[in-house]
Amino acid sequence: MENINEEVHKAYEVIKEGGIILYPTDTVWGIGCDATNPEAVAKIYMLKQRAETQSMIVLMNGEKMMYNVFKDIPEVAWQIIDLSENPTTLILDKPRNVAPNIIASDNTLGIRIVKEPFCFKLLEKMKKPLVSTSANISGKPTPIAFKDISPEIIKGVDYVVNLSREKIGGKPSTIIKLTNDSQVKVIRK
């Protein structure tokens, strides 16, 4: 049996030094780093061969972290978080306290609250949001299991979390965009 706490510690040490990790999320295998570190964020864009104009999402573990990044959170955001049975990413307006190169050109940021034990504990230790983007080269299929991740991605990260290598959820999260003027738009079901 893998030791989640040990893996959290190892991943945290790498992230703290500006490294990037390959890790299992509540949906698919992801590449992540400290969302407040622009150099680490840039490493992920380079590894994925992705334009910085294509923003990435961040994982958070609760209300306190959300309020640190967003001053105004629409009431409907809390309702969606409470009612969602599947992992759901919310795109919210006017993020702050994160790396500028993670913020979309329309001044929004996609976030997902995670309950999955590894991610939750890592976020607790980091006390900062964690970048989460699928573990693939931009434009290639999203890997469902660890065995589907390209060697280029595995070699390109600073640490591979040694937890379940089987298929995870296998399905990317639902994405909903919420604006401060109360508009709601489903981007991906």
Side-chain angles (χ1 to χ4, degrees):
M1 180 69 194
E2 306 104 348
N3 183 337
I4 285 184
N5 293 334
E6 197 176 303
E7 287 303 313
V8 164
H9 176 74
K10 288 176 181 173
Y12 172 72
E13 289 301 317
V14 168
I15 288 170
K16 195 172 68 171
E17 298 302 320
I20 60 176
I21 64 167
L22 182 59
Y23 67 107
T25 72
D26 52 344
T27 55
V28 296
W29 274 83
I31 304 170
C33 70
D34 172 353
T36 67
N37 181 332
E39 291 80 18
V41 170
K43 283 185 201 174
I44 293 179
Y45 281 118
M46 276 178 52
L47 177 61
K48 282 185 66 89
Q49 299 168 26
R50 182 177 181 147
E52 286 200 11
T53 51
Q54 292 182 282
S55 56
M56 298 182 284
I57 73 157
V58 300
L59 302 182
M60 298 183 177
N61 66 354
E63 202 174 303
K64 187 176 177 189
M65 203 174 276
M66 277 185 69
Y67 277 114
N68 188 40
V69 176
F70 301 98
K71 193 170 141 218
D72 300 311
I73 300 172
E75 188 53 44
V76 70
W78 302 114
Q79 295 165 350
I80 292 169
I81 289 166
D82 290 344
L83 298 172
S84 293
E85 289 179 16
N86 298 321
T88 301
T89 297
L90 299 178
I91 298 173
L92 301 173
D93 285 338
K94 299 182 186 154
R96 59 195 178 154
N97 302 326
V98 291
N101 53 344
I102 196 124
I103 298 171
S105 56
D106 63 353
N107 199 20
T108 60
L109 180 65
I111 64 105
R112 190 163 76 244
I113 300 286
V114 287
K115 296 176 178 79
E116 184 277 324
F118 171 77
C119 292
F120 188 87
K121 287 180 175 190
L122 179 57
L123 285 159
E124 237 176 15
K125 197 164 176 78
M126 289 173 61
K127 296 180 176 37
K128 295 175 182 178
L130 175 69
V131 169
S132 181
T133 181
S134 56
N136 59 325
I137 301 294
S138 206
K140 299 273 195 268
T142 299
I144 290 170
F146 186 82
K147 66 178 176 43
D148 304 325
I149 300 169
S150 77
E152 192 175 353
I153 292 286
I154 294 169
K155 286 184 194 119
V157 298
D158 299 302
Y159 184 68
V160 177
V161 172
N162 190 19
L163 291 173
S164 178
R165 299 281 170 103
E166 301 307 307
K167 181 176 167 187
I168 306 168
K171 189 174 178 277
S173 63
T174 298
I175 300 177
I176 301 173
K177 185 171 187 171
L178 304 176
T179 59
N180 286 344
D181 59 0
S182 301
Q183 291 182 41
V184 177
K185 182 179 177 190
V186 176
I187 295 181
R188 180 174 71 199
K189 277 190 172 167

